[in-house]
Amino acid sequence: QVQLVQSGGGLVQAGGSLRLSCAGSGRTFSNYLMGWFRQAPGKEREFVAAINRSGSRTYYADSVEGRFTISRDNAKNTVYLQMNSLKPEDTAVYYCAASGVIRSSVDLHYEYDYWGQGTQVTVSS
């Protein structure tokens, strides 16, 4: 089992920045590919970004490419999502997730085994 505890988030004006953190405990954090998803009211959960076990490769949704940066510090068992140039359409509950094995694609929520509790990000116009 891996426990994921999120922090960060909140309310920010459009154009601003926020950083989300996700701390893992339990099994070896570096064994897991980590991802971030988000879910806006009335919408399905969507992929935001992912990072491989070593941190050498990252993946982004087109909607956040160039604005968001995912990173990880395996010594601290933590993954981060730096969000810049935020837009009102980025408003959602953000979730971090851990995957032991990706069988198909990193952007599929069912590929992930463990999830954080979620944190609200609200971007005002």
Side-chain angles (χ1 to χ4, degrees), residues 79-98:
V79 63
Y80 306 96
L81 184 68
Q82 177 66 44
M83 304 183 291
N84 298 330
S85 301
L86 282 160
K87 304 176 181 179
E89 50 263 44
D90 294 318
T91 295
V93 177
Y94 284 70
Y95 298 89
C96 65

Side-chain angles (χ1 to χ4, degrees), residues 32-115:
Y32 293 87
L33 178 143
M34 298 298 297
W36 287 95
F37 288 75
R38 66 187 182 186
Q39 188 165 18
K43 295 188 177 181
E44 294 188 353
R45 191 169 298 191
E46 66 171 353
F47 171 75
V48 175
I51 188 166
N52 68 350
R53 292 168 180 78
S54 66
S56 62
R57 186 170 181 180
T58 57
Y59 312 79
Y60 295 96
D62 290 343
S63 58
V64 307
E65 180 84 54
R67 299 188 297 121
F68 290 12
T69 302
I70 187 172
S71 62
R72 67 190 297 163
D73 185 340
N74 286 337
K76 295 182 178 180
N77 292 348
T78 302
V79 63
Y80 306 96
L81 184 68
Q82 177 66 44
M83 304 183 291
N84 298 330
S85 301
L86 282 160
K87 304 176 181 179
E89 50 263 44
D90 294 318
T91 295
V93 177
Y94 284 70
Y95 298 89
C96 65
S99 174
V101 177
I102 295 292
R103 292 175 176 81
S104 176
S105 179
V106 300
D107 61 348
L108 300 174
H109 66 85
Y110 54 78
E111 294 278 14
Y112 293 80
D113 308 298
Y114 305 103
W115 292 83

